[in-house]
Amino acid sequence: MTDQIQRFLFERTNVRGEIVTLERAYAEVLDRHGYPPAINRLLGELLAAVALLTDTVKLDGVLSIEVRGQGELSLLMAESNPGGELRAIARVDEDASLPEGEASFRELVGDGHIMITLDPREGNRYQGIVALDHDSLGGCLEAYFAQSEQLPTHLWLRADGQRAGGLLLQRLPDESHNQDEDAWERTVQLAHTLTTDELLGLEQREFLHRLYHEETVRVFDPKPLHFGCTCSRERIGEALLTLGAQELREIIVERGEIETQCHFCHTHYRFGESEVEALISAQDGPPPTLH
């Protein structure tokens, strides 16, 4: 299995972790777009990150990460849900002059912020924002955990255009069962020695054994991941309504129908005049009842 996330913990400590590897889901995202190699690598890191965060916060809903910058790359966005579905897009300025080879995170996005949205099936939506004050995506997300979750967290994210992977380590606040005071510093220090080839090329249990063969690690059953788009006719219709009733009617008069597509999966949707009027009427609500 090439696309999965694996949870693990170090026995008798308060340190836990997640490791994710992606190949098919990553390829399906890239196949739908023609991004330059530098963008492809960053999208791979973002896909790994959103999978790690979704599993870490145990959200029963959709988790999204948006990187909004003022550089040539104005938007990176990825979404994940408990069903293991992943999707992602990038938005590059039309006149952008992107490097063909290596490019750093800050070179691509410049100044800006990361917005992490937790949208549960039940309950209130939550958004956390952290500035792009670090030189890597992982560093910015570590700052989010320090600011919003107040949990010491480290992330290692890698992608090469064909495979993507990530490792997350987190120190939990409960010290009652921690019998190894040096566990956090030691496990993080060992993780800093990992190479891109190890993270992307090794089977997950082999990777953990190579990195932590002197630790007592409990490994849980892996969870499969795959590309999946949550677009639907209903959601596309809701997005169209943000244009306003007048503009929608003007488009119908000019073109006879409205044609649009999902930015994530490129599925095409068409709305005729009667369908557009039904959307507008539903938004306005039923007429008042006379008494």
Side-chain angles (χ1 to χ4, degrees):
M1 185 180 294
T2 57
D3 293 58
Q4 65 180 28
I5 188 164
Q6 181 100 57
R7 185 164 65 95
F8 62 93
L9 58 81
F10 298 94
E11 297 282 15
R12 298 180 297 278
T13 79
N14 61 344
V15 182
R16 63 175 297 278
E18 308 269 356
I19 180 172
V20 62
T21 51
L22 299 169
E23 188 171 344
R24 294 178 184 174
Y26 182 28
E28 288 202 47
V29 168
L30 299 188
D31 287 347
R32 286 168 167 76
H33 307 279
Y35 301 129
I39 304 298
N40 289 342
R41 286 189 290 273
L42 195 49
L43 264 181
E45 291 187 13
L46 190 65
L47 280 167
V50 78
L52 288 169
L53 265 63
T54 301
D55 213 56
T56 298
V57 301
K58 300 293 185 292
L59 175 70
D60 184 18
V62 176
L63 187 147
S64 65
I65 303 176
E66 291 184 51
V67 181
R68 293 189 174 272
Q70 299 176 6
E72 309 264 19
L73 177 60
S74 58
L75 173 69
L76 278 171
M77 181 179 179
E79 285 186 355
S80 178
N81 61 41
E85 293 179 319
L86 303 170
R87 66 178 191 167
I89 56 168
R91 183 179 299 151
V92 184
D93 292 342
E94 293 183 2
D95 300 328
S97 177
L98 295 172
E100 290 296 327
E102 295 292 332
S104 71
F105 175 71
R106 291 306 299 271
E107 287 175 331
L108 291 171
V109 301
D111 295 327
H113 64 270
I114 292 180
M115 182 165 61
I116 298 175
T117 303
L118 282 64
D119 193 1
R121 292 176 183 172
E122 296 183 4
N124 297 324
R125 200 175 191 225
Y126 169 81
Q127 286 186 329
I129 298 177
V130 63
L132 295 175
D133 289 338
H134 297 266
D135 294 330
S136 68
L137 175 62
C140 293
L141 293 174
E142 288 174 4
Y144 162 78
F145 274 100
Q147 171 184 301
S148 301
E149 304 292 329
Q150 297 181 344
L151 289 175
T153 304
H154 281 286
L155 291 103
W156 294 262
L157 305 170
R158 302 285 190 274
D160 62 5
Q162 295 182 321
R163 298 164 299 174
L167 171 67
L168 179 147
L169 293 180
Q170 192 169 71
R171 186 173 67 187
L172 302 176
D174 184 6
E175 295 282 351
S176 60
H177 300 291
N178 184 23
Q179 301 175 25
D180 187 346
E181 294 182 358
D182 299 324
W184 173 245
E185 288 75 14
R186 187 176 63 253
T187 54
V188 169
Q189 186 176 16
L190 287 169
H192 280 310
T193 68
L194 70 84
T195 66
T196 297
D197 288 341
E198 287 174 330
L199 184 56
L200 300 184
L202 295 179
E203 188 271 337
Q204 290 177 348
R205 286 177 179 262
E206 182 184 355
F207 169 84
L208 290 173
H209 176 73
R210 182 175 296 191
L211 196 60
Y212 295 119
H213 58 275
E214 295 186 356
E215 309 290 332
T216 304
V217 183
R218 186 197 304 178
V219 181
F220 297 87
D221 291 336
K223 172 183 170 182
L225 302 170
H226 60 277
F227 173 82
C229 192
T230 56
C231 72
S232 66
R233 193 169 189 82
E234 180 182 6
R235 294 186 68 178
I236 295 294
E238 292 173 357
L240 288 177
L241 287 172
T242 62
L243 297 175
Q246 181 176 346
E247 184 169 349
L248 291 176
R249 287 169 173 147
E250 289 175 356
I251 296 174
I252 288 294
V253 170
E254 179 182 347
R255 304 178 186 175
E257 66 176 5
I258 295 177
E259 182 178 0
T260 186
Q261 69 177 25
C262 172
H263 296 300
F264 290 92
C265 67
H266 290 179
T267 298
H268 286 264
Y269 293 89
R270 288 184 172 86
F271 294 82
E273 180 179 1
S274 61
E275 294 170 299
V276 170
E277 289 299 329
L279 287 173
I280 296 171
S281 297
Q283 182 187 44
D284 293 339
T289 301
L290 299 179
H291 297 281

